[in-house]
Structure formats: structure tokens, C-alpha cells
């Protein structure tokens, strides 16, 4: 009886430890850094979190100036980030690294355009 109870306790502990780790491993973050000059003060930025086919599932709206930096936690299911600045699209899609951080830096050399990437 003691062996059966010990085995059941060991199995329960293994299941608990595996489930608690798997949630942390899947958390993706991204750090948005704005290092581009602005002509009119603040830039209006929308960061769209998208799934694997490009459908938008979340967004973060911010006002920022050169030197701005902030880390965001991506919503579950987000695999990419698209950036919209002052009415134009950054012409790059940023792929999120599952379980780690992705850097998104906007500089004066970043390509922007009217068409969504």
C-alpha cells in the first residue's frame, strides 16, 4: 500500500512540474525600440500581433519619441508583429521567438510604405 501511495504521489508531482514549466516556455515577448527622428514630436505607433497566417489578434497603441523602448508580452497564439507608424507600414514582419524575446528596432533607415506587408 505504501509503495502504491508513493508511486501515485511521484506521478502527481511529475505532472505538476511538467505543466508548470510548459506555460513559461511558451511566453513570447518583444522589445520595441524607436530610434528614428520624428518631425512633429511624438510618433503614433500601433504594434499588431498576428497569428501564423497574418490575422491580427491583438494590438498595442503607443506614442513615442526617439529613444523610446518598451517590452511587451505577446498574446497567446501570436507569432508575428507588424508595425504601423504615423499612417504607414514598416515593410518588414517581425517573427516572434517562442519562449524568448524578439527585438524590433525602428531607425531612420527603416523602410516604410503605404501597403501592409
Amino acid at each position: 500500500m505504501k509503495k502504491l501511495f508513493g508511486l501515485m504521489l511521484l506521478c502527481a508531482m511529475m505532472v505538476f512540474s511538467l505543466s508548470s514549466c510548459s506555460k513559461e516556455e511558451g511566453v513570447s515577448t518583444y522589445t520595441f525600440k524607436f530610434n528614428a527622428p520624428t518631425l512633429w514630436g511624438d510618433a503614433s505607433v500601433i504594434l499588431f500581433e498576428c497569428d501564423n497566417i497574418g490575422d491580427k489578434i491583438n494590438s498595442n497603441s503607443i506614442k513615442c519619441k526617439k529613444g523610446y523602448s518598451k517590452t511587451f508580452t505577446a498574446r497567446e497564439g501570436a507569432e508575428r508583429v507588424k508595425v504601423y507608424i504615423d499612417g504607414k507600414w514598416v515593410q518588414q514582419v517581425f517573427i516572434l521567438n517562442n519562449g524568448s524575446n524578439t527585438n524590433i528596432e525602428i531607425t531612420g533607415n527603416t523602410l516604410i510604405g503605404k501597403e501592409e506587408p
Side-chain angles (χ1 to χ4, degrees):
M1 184 71 174
K2 288 183 180 180
K3 286 184 180 180
L4 180 60
F5 179 75
L7 182 60
M8 289 173 43
L9 183 61
L10 179 64
C11 288
M13 288 174 31
M14 287 176 37
V15 168
F16 178 75
S17 67
L18 289 175
S19 65
S20 65
C21 290
S22 63
K23 288 181 182 178
E24 287 301 315
E25 290 174 7
V27 174
S28 298
T29 60
Y30 56 97
T31 301
F32 177 76
K33 298 176 184 177
F34 190 80
N35 289 315
T38 58
L39 298 175
W40 303 282
D42 289 346
S44 296
V45 178
I46 305 173
L47 304 168
F48 290 102
E49 298 173 12
C50 304
D51 62 14
N52 64 345
I53 58 173
D55 290 338
K56 297 171 187 77
I57 59 174
N58 190 38
S59 65
N60 292 297
S61 298
I62 52 178
K63 295 268 190 194
C64 59
K65 293 181 181 176
K66 187 173 183 177
Y68 177 90
S69 179
K70 184 174 179 180
T71 299
F72 297 88
T73 300
R75 181 158 299 170
E76 185 177 338
E79 296 186 17
R80 305 157 191 227
V81 175
K82 295 181 181 181
V83 182
Y84 189 71
I85 302 172
D86 290 336
K88 295 187 179 175
W89 291 96
V90 171
Q91 297 299 294
Q92 177 181 353
V93 176
F94 298 89
I95 307 300
L96 295 174
N97 298 315
N98 189 21
S100 63
N101 188 64
T102 301
N103 286 314
I104 300 172
E105 184 171 7
I106 306 302
T107 67
N109 296 324
T110 301
L111 294 175
I112 59 171
K114 293 181 181 182
E115 299 296 320
E116 182 175 348

Short mmCIF file of all heavy atoms in Angstrom, two decimals, residues 5-72:
data_model
loop_
_atom_site.label_atom_id
_atom_site.label_comp_id
_atom_site.label_asym_id
_atom_site.label_seq_id
_atom_site.Cartn_x
_atom_site.Cartn_y
_atom_site.Cartn_z
N PHE A 5 0.95 4.28 -2.84
CA PHE A 5 0.76 5.69 -2.49
C PHE A 5 1.98 6.51 -2.93
O PHE A 5 1.84 7.61 -3.48
CB PHE A 5 0.53 5.83 -0.97
CG PHE A 5 0.37 7.24 -0.55
CD1 PHE A 5 -0.82 7.94 -0.80
CD2 PHE A 5 1.39 7.91 0.10
CE1 PHE A 5 -0.97 9.26 -0.41
CE2 PHE A 5 1.25 9.23 0.49
CZ PHE A 5 0.08 9.90 0.23
N GLY A 6 3.18 6.00 -2.69
CA GLY A 6 4.41 6.70 -3.10
C GLY A 6 4.47 6.87 -4.60
O GLY A 6 4.86 7.93 -5.11
N LEU A 7 4.09 5.84 -5.35
CA LEU A 7 4.09 5.91 -6.81
C LEU A 7 3.07 6.94 -7.31
O LEU A 7 3.36 7.73 -8.21
CB LEU A 7 3.79 4.54 -7.40
CG LEU A 7 3.80 4.43 -8.92
CD1 LEU A 7 5.19 4.80 -9.46
CD2 LEU A 7 3.41 3.05 -9.36
N MET A 8 1.89 6.97 -6.70
CA MET A 8 0.88 7.94 -7.09
C MET A 8 1.34 9.36 -6.79
O MET A 8 1.15 10.28 -7.58
CB MET A 8 -0.45 7.65 -6.39
CG MET A 8 -1.15 6.40 -6.91
SD MET A 8 -2.63 5.88 -6.01
CE MET A 8 -3.48 7.38 -5.71
N LEU A 9 1.97 9.55 -5.65
CA LEU A 9 2.48 10.87 -5.27
C LEU A 9 3.56 11.32 -6.24
O LEU A 9 3.59 12.47 -6.68
CB LEU A 9 3.01 10.83 -3.84
CG LEU A 9 3.51 12.14 -3.27
CD1 LEU A 9 2.40 13.17 -3.23
CD2 LEU A 9 4.08 11.93 -1.87
N LEU A 10 4.46 10.40 -6.60
CA LEU A 10 5.52 10.73 -7.55
C LEU A 10 4.95 11.11 -8.92
O LEU A 10 5.37 12.10 -9.53
CB LEU A 10 6.48 9.54 -7.71
CG LEU A 10 7.64 9.72 -8.68
CD1 LEU A 10 8.56 10.83 -8.21
CD2 LEU A 10 8.40 8.42 -8.83
N CYS A 11 3.96 10.38 -9.40
CA CYS A 11 3.31 10.70 -10.68
C CYS A 11 2.64 12.07 -10.63
O CYS A 11 2.75 12.86 -11.58
CB CYS A 11 2.30 9.63 -11.05
SG CYS A 11 3.04 8.07 -11.55
N ALA A 12 1.97 12.37 -9.54
CA ALA A 12 1.29 13.66 -9.41
C ALA A 12 2.31 14.80 -9.42
O ALA A 12 2.10 15.84 -10.05
CB ALA A 12 0.46 13.70 -8.14
N MET A 13 3.44 14.61 -8.75
CA MET A 13 4.48 15.64 -8.72
C MET A 13 5.07 15.86 -10.11
O MET A 13 5.34 16.99 -10.51
CB MET A 13 5.57 15.28 -7.71
CG MET A 13 5.10 15.42 -6.27
SD MET A 13 6.25 14.86 -4.99
CE MET A 13 7.84 15.14 -5.64
N MET A 14 5.26 14.78 -10.88
CA MET A 14 5.81 14.91 -12.23
C MET A 14 4.85 15.66 -13.13
O MET A 14 5.26 16.54 -13.89
CB MET A 14 6.12 13.51 -12.80
CG MET A 14 7.34 12.88 -12.18
SD MET A 14 7.68 11.19 -12.72
CE MET A 14 7.26 11.17 -14.42
N VAL A 15 3.58 15.33 -13.06
CA VAL A 15 2.58 16.02 -13.89
C VAL A 15 2.53 17.49 -13.53
O VAL A 15 2.52 18.37 -14.40
CB VAL A 15 1.19 15.37 -13.73
CG1 VAL A 15 0.11 16.24 -14.33
CG2 VAL A 15 1.18 13.99 -14.35
N PHE A 16 2.55 17.82 -12.24
CA PHE A 16 2.51 19.22 -11.81
C PHE A 16 3.73 19.98 -12.29
O PHE A 16 3.64 21.08 -12.80
CB PHE A 16 2.40 19.30 -10.28
CG PHE A 16 2.42 20.70 -9.76
CD1 PHE A 16 1.29 21.51 -9.88
CD2 PHE A 16 3.56 21.22 -9.19
CE1 PHE A 16 1.31 22.80 -9.41
CE2 PHE A 16 3.59 22.52 -8.72
CZ PHE A 16 2.47 23.31 -8.83
N SER A 17 4.91 19.39 -12.16
CA SER A 17 6.13 20.10 -12.57
C SER A 17 6.18 20.28 -14.08
O SER A 17 6.63 21.32 -14.57
CB SER A 17 7.38 19.37 -12.06
OG SER A 17 7.52 18.12 -12.70
N LEU A 18 5.73 19.32 -14.85
CA LEU A 18 5.73 19.46 -16.31
C LEU A 18 4.74 20.51 -16.77
O LEU A 18 5.03 21.30 -17.67
CB LEU A 18 5.42 18.12 -16.98
CG LEU A 18 6.51 17.06 -16.88
CD1 LEU A 18 6.02 15.75 -17.48
CD2 LEU A 18 7.78 17.51 -17.57
N SER A 19 3.57 20.56 -16.17
CA SER A 19 2.57 21.53 -16.61
C SER A 19 2.98 22.95 -16.24
O SER A 19 2.72 23.88 -16.97
CB SER A 19 1.19 21.20 -16.03
OG SER A 19 1.20 21.34 -14.63
N SER A 20 3.63 23.14 -15.12
CA SER A 20 4.02 24.49 -14.74
C SER A 20 5.16 25.00 -15.61
O SER A 20 5.24 26.17 -15.90
CB SER A 20 4.41 24.55 -13.26
OG SER A 20 5.56 23.76 -13.03
N CYS A 21 6.05 24.15 -16.08
CA CYS A 21 7.15 24.58 -16.94
C CYS A 21 6.68 24.89 -18.35
O CYS A 21 7.14 25.84 -18.96
CB CYS A 21 8.23 23.49 -17.01
SG CYS A 21 9.14 23.28 -15.49
N SER A 22 5.75 24.12 -18.86
CA SER A 22 5.36 24.31 -20.25
C SER A 22 4.71 25.67 -20.49
O SER A 22 4.85 26.25 -21.54
CB SER A 22 4.41 23.20 -20.70
OG SER A 22 3.23 23.25 -19.95
N LYS A 23 4.01 26.21 -19.50
CA LYS A 23 3.40 27.52 -19.67
C LYS A 23 4.46 28.60 -19.82
O LYS A 23 4.34 29.50 -20.62
CB LYS A 23 2.48 27.83 -18.49
CG LYS A 23 1.22 27.01 -18.49
CD LYS A 23 0.34 27.38 -17.32
CE LYS A 23 -0.90 26.52 -17.28
NZ LYS A 23 -1.73 26.81 -16.13
N GLU A 24 5.52 28.54 -19.02
CA GLU A 24 6.56 29.56 -19.06
C GLU A 24 7.35 29.48 -20.36
O GLU A 24 7.78 30.47 -20.89
CB GLU A 24 7.49 29.41 -17.86
CG GLU A 24 6.87 29.85 -16.55
CD GLU A 24 6.44 31.31 -16.57
OE1 GLU A 24 7.20 32.17 -17.04
OE2 GLU A 24 5.32 31.59 -16.12
N GLU A 25 7.58 28.28 -20.88
CA GLU A 25 8.37 28.11 -22.08
C GLU A 25 7.71 28.76 -23.29
O GLU A 25 8.37 29.21 -24.19
CB GLU A 25 8.61 26.62 -22.36
CG GLU A 25 9.54 25.98 -21.35
CD GLU A 25 9.66 24.49 -21.54
OE1 GLU A 25 9.11 23.96 -22.52
OE2 GLU A 25 10.28 23.85 -20.69
N GLY A 26 6.39 28.83 -23.32
CA GLY A 26 5.70 29.36 -24.48
C GLY A 26 5.47 30.86 -24.47
O GLY A 26 4.91 31.39 -25.41
N VAL A 27 5.88 31.56 -23.43
CA VAL A 27 5.66 33.00 -23.35
C VAL A 27 6.65 33.72 -24.25
O VAL A 27 7.85 33.58 -24.10
CB VAL A 27 5.78 33.51 -21.89
CG1 VAL A 27 5.68 35.02 -21.83
CG2 VAL A 27 4.70 32.87 -21.02
N SER A 28 6.13 34.49 -25.19
CA SER A 28 6.98 35.27 -26.09
C SER A 28 6.84 36.74 -25.76
O SER A 28 5.75 37.22 -25.47
CB SER A 28 6.56 35.04 -27.55
OG SER A 28 6.73 33.69 -27.90
N THR A 29 7.96 37.45 -25.82
CA THR A 29 7.95 38.88 -25.62
C THR A 29 8.63 39.55 -26.80
O THR A 29 9.34 38.90 -27.57
CB THR A 29 8.70 39.27 -24.32
OG1 THR A 29 10.05 38.82 -24.40
CG2 THR A 29 8.03 38.67 -23.10
N TYR A 30 8.38 40.84 -26.93
CA TYR A 30 9.11 41.61 -27.93
C TYR A 30 9.39 42.98 -27.37
O TYR A 30 8.61 43.55 -26.63
CB TYR A 30 8.34 41.69 -29.26
CG TYR A 30 6.94 42.23 -29.20
CD1 TYR A 30 6.68 43.57 -29.48
CD2 TYR A 30 5.87 41.40 -28.89
CE1 TYR A 30 5.38 44.07 -29.46
CE2 TYR A 30 4.57 41.89 -28.85
CZ TYR A 30 4.34 43.23 -29.13
OH TYR A 30 3.07 43.72 -29.09
N THR A 31 10.58 43.48 -27.69
CA THR A 31 11.00 44.79 -27.23
C THR A 31 10.98 45.74 -28.41
O THR A 31 11.70 45.51 -29.40
CB THR A 31 12.41 44.74 -26.60
OG1 THR A 31 12.38 43.83 -25.51
CG2 THR A 31 12.83 46.12 -26.12
N PHE A 32 10.14 46.76 -28.33
CA PHE A 32 10.03 47.76 -29.37
C PHE A 32 10.93 48.93 -29.01
O PHE A 32 10.82 49.50 -27.92
CB PHE A 32 8.58 48.24 -29.51
CG PHE A 32 8.40 49.33 -30.52
CD1 PHE A 32 8.43 49.04 -31.88
CD2 PHE A 32 8.22 50.64 -30.13
CE1 PHE A 32 8.28 50.04 -32.82
CE2 PHE A 32 8.07 51.65 -31.06
CZ PHE A 32 8.10 51.35 -32.41
N LYS A 33 11.86 49.26 -29.91
CA LYS A 33 12.78 50.38 -29.71
C LYS A 33 12.59 51.36 -30.86
O LYS A 33 12.66 50.98 -32.02
CB LYS A 33 14.23 49.90 -29.70
CG LYS A 33 14.53 48.93 -28.59
CD LYS A 33 15.95 48.42 -28.68
CE LYS A 33 16.20 47.37 -27.62
NZ LYS A 33 17.54 46.80 -27.73
N PHE A 34 12.33 52.61 -30.52
CA PHE A 34 12.10 53.64 -31.53
C PHE A 34 13.30 54.57 -31.54
O PHE A 34 13.49 55.35 -30.60
CB PHE A 34 10.81 54.40 -31.25
CG PHE A 34 10.39 55.30 -32.37
CD1 PHE A 34 9.73 54.79 -33.47
CD2 PHE A 34 10.68 56.65 -32.33
CE1 PHE A 34 9.35 55.61 -34.52
CE2 PHE A 34 10.29 57.49 -33.37
CZ PHE A 34 9.63 56.96 -34.47
N ASN A 35 14.13 54.47 -32.56
CA ASN A 35 15.33 55.30 -32.68
C ASN A 35 15.35 56.08 -33.98
O ASN A 35 16.41 56.33 -34.55
CB ASN A 35 16.59 54.42 -32.54
CG ASN A 35 16.78 53.94 -31.13
OD1 ASN A 35 16.65 54.71 -30.19
ND2 ASN A 35 17.03 52.66 -30.97
N ALA A 36 14.18 56.47 -34.44
CA ALA A 36 14.05 57.27 -35.66
C ALA A 36 13.72 58.71 -35.27
O ALA A 36 13.00 58.95 -34.31
CB ALA A 36 12.96 56.70 -36.56
N PRO A 37 14.23 59.66 -36.02
CA PRO A 37 13.86 61.05 -35.73
C PRO A 37 12.39 61.29 -36.10
O PRO A 37 11.87 60.69 -37.03
CB PRO A 37 14.79 61.86 -36.63
CG PRO A 37 15.23 60.92 -37.70
CD PRO A 37 15.16 59.53 -37.13
N THR A 38 11.73 62.13 -35.34
CA THR A 38 10.34 62.48 -35.64
C THR A 38 10.27 63.96 -36.02
O THR A 38 10.98 64.78 -35.46
CB THR A 38 9.42 62.23 -34.43
OG1 THR A 38 9.89 62.98 -33.34
CG2 THR A 38 9.37 60.76 -34.07
N LEU A 39 9.44 64.26 -37.00
CA LEU A 39 9.32 65.63 -37.46
C LEU A 39 8.37 66.46 -36.61
O LEU A 39 8.54 67.66 -36.47
CB LEU A 39 8.83 65.65 -38.91
CG LEU A 39 9.76 64.99 -39.93
CD1 LEU A 39 9.11 64.97 -41.31
CD2 LEU A 39 11.10 65.71 -39.98
N TRP A 40 7.36 65.82 -36.03
CA TRP A 40 6.32 66.55 -35.31
C TRP A 40 6.23 66.15 -33.84
O TRP A 40 5.18 66.20 -33.24
CB TRP A 40 4.97 66.33 -35.97
CG TRP A 40 4.99 66.72 -37.41
CD1 TRP A 40 4.93 67.99 -37.91
CD2 TRP A 40 5.11 65.87 -38.53
NE1 TRP A 40 5.01 67.97 -39.27
CE2 TRP A 40 5.11 66.68 -39.69
CE3 TRP A 40 5.22 64.50 -38.69
CZ2 TRP A 40 5.22 66.16 -40.97
CZ3 TRP A 40 5.33 63.98 -39.97
CH2 TRP A 40 5.32 64.82 -41.08
N GLY A 41 7.32 65.75 -33.23
CA GLY A 41 7.28 65.35 -31.82
C GLY A 41 7.02 63.87 -31.68
O GLY A 41 7.80 63.05 -32.14
N ASP A 42 5.89 63.51 -31.07
CA ASP A 42 5.57 62.10 -30.85
C ASP A 42 5.17 61.40 -32.14
O ASP A 42 4.52 61.98 -33.01
CB ASP A 42 4.41 61.96 -29.87
CG ASP A 42 4.78 62.32 -28.45
OD1 ASP A 42 5.98 62.43 -28.16
OD2 ASP A 42 3.86 62.49 -27.63
N ALA A 43 5.56 60.13 -32.25
CA ALA A 43 5.10 59.28 -33.34
C ALA A 43 3.97 58.40 -32.80
O ALA A 43 4.03 57.93 -31.67
CB ALA A 43 6.24 58.41 -33.86
N SER A 44 2.94 58.20 -33.61
CA SER A 44 1.84 57.30 -33.25
C SER A 44 2.15 55.93 -33.83
O SER A 44 2.28 55.78 -35.04
CB SER A 44 0.52 57.81 -33.81
OG SER A 44 0.19 59.04 -33.23
N VAL A 45 2.27 54.95 -32.95
CA VAL A 45 2.67 53.60 -33.37
C VAL A 45 1.61 52.61 -32.91
O VAL A 45 1.12 52.68 -31.79
CB VAL A 45 4.04 53.22 -32.76
CG1 VAL A 45 4.44 51.81 -33.14
CG2 VAL A 45 5.11 54.22 -33.17
N ILE A 46 1.29 51.67 -33.81
CA ILE A 46 0.44 50.54 -33.44
C ILE A 46 1.23 49.28 -33.75
O ILE A 46 1.73 49.10 -34.87
CB ILE A 46 -0.90 50.52 -34.20
CG1 ILE A 46 -1.65 51.83 -34.01
CG2 ILE A 46 -1.75 49.34 -33.72
CD1 ILE A 46 -2.91 51.96 -34.85
N LEU A 47 1.36 48.43 -32.75
CA LEU A 47 2.04 47.14 -32.89
C LEU A 47 0.96 46.07 -32.98
O LEU A 47 0.22 45.85 -32.02
CB LEU A 47 2.95 46.88 -31.70
CG LEU A 47 4.00 47.97 -31.43
CD1 LEU A 47 4.65 47.77 -30.09
CD2 LEU A 47 5.03 47.97 -32.54
N PHE A 48 0.83 45.45 -34.16
CA PHE A 48 -0.19 44.43 -34.37
C PHE A 48 0.44 43.05 -34.17
O PHE A 48 1.38 42.69 -34.88
CB PHE A 48 -0.77 44.52 -35.79
CG PHE A 48 -1.63 45.72 -36.02
CD1 PHE A 48 -1.14 46.82 -36.70
CD2 PHE A 48 -2.94 45.74 -35.57
CE1 PHE A 48 -1.94 47.93 -36.93
CE2 PHE A 48 -3.75 46.85 -35.79
CZ PHE A 48 -3.25 47.95 -36.47
N GLU A 49 -0.11 42.29 -33.23
CA GLU A 49 0.30 40.91 -33.04
C GLU A 49 -0.57 40.05 -33.95
O GLU A 49 -1.80 40.17 -33.94
CB GLU A 49 0.14 40.50 -31.58
CG GLU A 49 1.01 41.31 -30.64
CD GLU A 49 0.74 41.02 -29.19
OE1 GLU A 49 0.04 40.04 -28.86
OE2 GLU A 49 1.24 41.80 -28.35
N CYS A 50 0.07 39.19 -34.73
CA CYS A 50 -0.65 38.39 -35.72
C CYS A 50 -0.36 36.90 -35.52
O CYS A 50 0.68 36.52 -35.00
CB CYS A 50 -0.21 38.79 -37.13
SG CYS A 50 -0.43 40.54 -37.49
N ASP A 51 -1.31 36.09 -35.99
CA ASP A 51 -1.09 34.64 -35.94
C ASP A 51 -0.23 34.21 -37.12
O ASP A 51 0.30 35.05 -37.86
CB ASP A 51 -2.43 33.89 -35.89
CG ASP A 51 -3.30 34.12 -37.12
OD1 ASP A 51 -2.81 34.63 -38.14
OD2 ASP A 51 -4.49 33.78 -37.04
N ASN A 52 -0.10 32.89 -37.33
CA ASN A 52 0.81 32.39 -38.36
C ASN A 52 0.38 32.69 -39.79
O ASN A 52 1.19 32.57 -40.71
CB ASN A 52 1.05 30.90 -38.18
CG ASN A 52 -0.20 30.08 -38.38
OD1 ASN A 52 -1.32 30.60 -38.38
ND2 ASN A 52 -0.04 28.79 -38.52
N ILE A 53 -0.87 33.10 -40.01
CA ILE A 53 -1.29 33.45 -41.37
C ILE A 53 -1.46 34.96 -41.56
O ILE A 53 -1.91 35.42 -42.59
CB ILE A 53 -2.57 32.70 -41.79
CG1 ILE A 53 -3.73 32.98 -40.84
CG2 ILE A 53 -2.32 31.21 -41.92
CD1 ILE A 53 -5.06 32.41 -41.30
N GLY A 54 -1.12 35.72 -40.52
CA GLY A 54 -1.15 37.18 -40.64
C GLY A 54 -2.41 37.85 -40.12
O GLY A 54 -2.53 39.07 -40.22
N ASP A 55 -3.35 37.08 -39.56
CA ASP A 55 -4.55 37.69 -38.99
C ASP A 55 -4.20 38.38 -37.67
O ASP A 55 -3.49 37.82 -36.84
CB ASP A 55 -5.64 36.64 -38.73
CG ASP A 55 -6.22 36.09 -40.01
OD1 ASP A 55 -6.13 36.77 -41.05
OD2 ASP A 55 -6.77 34.96 -39.97
N LYS A 56 -4.70 39.59 -37.50
CA LYS A 56 -4.41 40.37 -36.29
C LYS A 56 -5.22 39.83 -35.12
O LYS A 56 -6.43 39.67 -35.22
CB LYS A 56 -4.73 41.84 -36.54
CG LYS A 56 -3.88 42.47 -37.62
CD LYS A 56 -4.39 43.87 -37.97
CE LYS A 56 -3.66 44.45 -39.14
NZ LYS A 56 -4.08 43.92 -40.43
N ILE A 57 -4.53 39.55 -33.99
CA ILE A 57 -5.22 39.02 -32.81
C ILE A 57 -5.07 39.94 -31.60
O ILE A 57 -5.75 39.75 -30.61
CB ILE A 57 -4.74 37.60 -32.47
CG1 ILE A 57 -3.24 37.56 -32.19
CG2 ILE A 57 -5.11 36.62 -33.56
CD1 ILE A 57 -2.74 36.21 -31.70
N ASN A 58 -4.20 40.94 -31.68
CA ASN A 58 -4.02 41.90 -30.59
C ASN A 58 -3.27 43.11 -31.12
O ASN A 58 -2.59 43.03 -32.15
CB ASN A 58 -3.24 41.26 -29.44
CG ASN A 58 -3.23 42.11 -28.19
OD1 ASN A 58 -4.23 42.75 -27.84
ND2 ASN A 58 -2.10 42.15 -27.50
N SER A 59 -3.40 44.23 -30.42
CA SER A 59 -2.64 45.42 -30.81
C SER A 59 -2.26 46.23 -29.58
O SER A 59 -2.95 46.17 -28.55
CB SER A 59 -3.43 46.28 -31.79
OG SER A 59 -4.57 46.81 -31.17
N ASN A 60 -1.18 46.95 -29.70
CA ASN A 60 -0.72 47.88 -28.67
C ASN A 60 -0.49 49.22 -29.34
O ASN A 60 0.29 49.31 -30.29
CB ASN A 60 0.58 47.38 -28.03
CG ASN A 60 0.38 46.14 -27.21
OD1 ASN A 60 -0.34 46.16 -26.22
ND2 ASN A 60 0.99 45.03 -27.62
N SER A 61 -1.17 50.26 -28.86
CA SER A 61 -1.01 51.61 -29.40
C SER A 61 -0.14 52.42 -28.45
O SER A 61 -0.39 52.42 -27.24
CB SER A 61 -2.36 52.29 -29.56
OG SER A 61 -3.16 51.59 -30.47
N ILE A 62 0.84 53.12 -29.01
CA ILE A 62 1.73 53.93 -28.18
C ILE A 62 2.07 55.23 -28.89
O ILE A 62 1.97 55.34 -30.10
CB ILE A 62 3.04 53.17 -27.85
CG1 ILE A 62 3.70 52.62 -29.13
CG2 ILE A 62 2.81 52.06 -26.87
CD1 ILE A 62 5.00 51.91 -28.92
N LYS A 63 2.44 56.21 -28.11
CA LYS A 63 3.00 57.47 -28.61
C LYS A 63 4.45 57.46 -28.13
O LYS A 63 4.71 57.18 -26.95
CB LYS A 63 2.29 58.68 -28.02
CG LYS A 63 0.85 58.80 -28.43
CD LYS A 63 0.75 59.65 -29.65
CE LYS A 63 -0.72 59.98 -29.92
NZ LYS A 63 -0.89 60.51 -31.22
N CYS A 64 5.38 57.75 -29.02
CA CYS A 64 6.78 57.67 -28.61
C CYS A 64 7.65 58.67 -29.34
O CYS A 64 7.26 59.20 -30.38
CB CYS A 64 7.32 56.26 -28.79
SG CYS A 64 7.25 55.65 -30.46
N LYS A 65 8.80 58.91 -28.76
CA LYS A 65 9.83 59.77 -29.34
C LYS A 65 11.10 58.96 -29.50
O LYS A 65 11.20 57.82 -28.99
CB LYS A 65 10.12 60.95 -28.42
CG LYS A 65 8.99 61.92 -28.27
CD LYS A 65 9.36 63.07 -27.36
CE LYS A 65 8.16 64.00 -27.24
NZ LYS A 65 8.37 65.08 -26.31
N LYS A 66 12.08 59.53 -30.17
CA LYS A 66 13.37 58.86 -30.33
C LYS A 66 13.92 58.49 -28.96
O LYS A 66 13.88 59.29 -28.02
CB LYS A 66 14.34 59.78 -31.07
CG LYS A 66 15.64 59.10 -31.42
CD LYS A 66 16.51 59.97 -32.28
CE LYS A 66 17.78 59.20 -32.64
NZ LYS A 66 18.63 59.96 -33.53
N GLY A 67 14.38 57.25 -28.83
CA GLY A 67 14.91 56.74 -27.58
C GLY A 67 13.94 55.89 -26.79
O GLY A 67 14.30 55.27 -25.80
N TYR A 68 12.68 55.82 -27.24
CA TYR A 68 11.65 55.04 -26.55
C TYR A 68 11.97 53.55 -26.65
O TYR A 68 12.40 53.05 -27.69
CB TYR A 68 10.29 55.31 -27.19
CG TYR A 68 9.15 54.50 -26.62
CD1 TYR A 68 8.40 54.98 -25.55
CD2 TYR A 68 8.81 53.28 -27.16
CE1 TYR A 68 7.34 54.26 -25.04
CE2 TYR A 68 7.76 52.54 -26.65
CZ TYR A 68 7.03 53.03 -25.59
OH TYR A 68 5.99 52.31 -25.09
N SER A 69 11.75 52.82 -25.57
CA SER A 69 11.93 51.37 -25.55
C SER A 69 10.96 50.76 -24.55
O SER A 69 10.84 51.26 -23.43
CB SER A 69 13.37 51.01 -25.19
OG SER A 69 13.54 49.60 -25.15
N LYS A 70 10.27 49.70 -24.96
CA LYS A 70 9.35 49.01 -24.05
C LYS A 70 9.21 47.56 -24.48
O LYS A 70 9.18 47.26 -25.67
CB LYS A 70 7.97 49.68 -24.05
CG LYS A 70 7.01 49.05 -23.05
CD LYS A 70 5.71 49.79 -22.95
CE LYS A 70 4.81 49.09 -21.95
NZ LYS A 70 3.53 49.76 -21.80
N THR A 71 9.12 46.67 -23.49
CA THR A 71 8.94 45.25 -23.76
C THR A 71 7.49 44.88 -23.53
O THR A 71 6.89 45.28 -22.52
CB THR A 71 9.87 44.41 -22.87
OG1 THR A 71 11.22 44.76 -23.16
CG2 THR A 71 9.68 42.92 -23.13
N PHE A 72 6.92 44.12 -24.47
CA PHE A 72 5.53 43.68 -24.41
C PHE A 72 5.50 42.15 -24.34
O PHE A 72 6.35 41.48 -24.93
CB PHE A 72 4.77 44.12 -25.66
CG PHE A 72 4.67 45.60 -25.84
CD1 PHE A 72 5.67 46.30 -26.51
CD2 PHE A 72 3.59 46.31 -25.33
CE1 PHE A 72 5.59 47.67 -26.68
CE2 PHE A 72 3.50 47.68 -25.51
CZ PHE A 72 4.51 48.36 -26.17
#
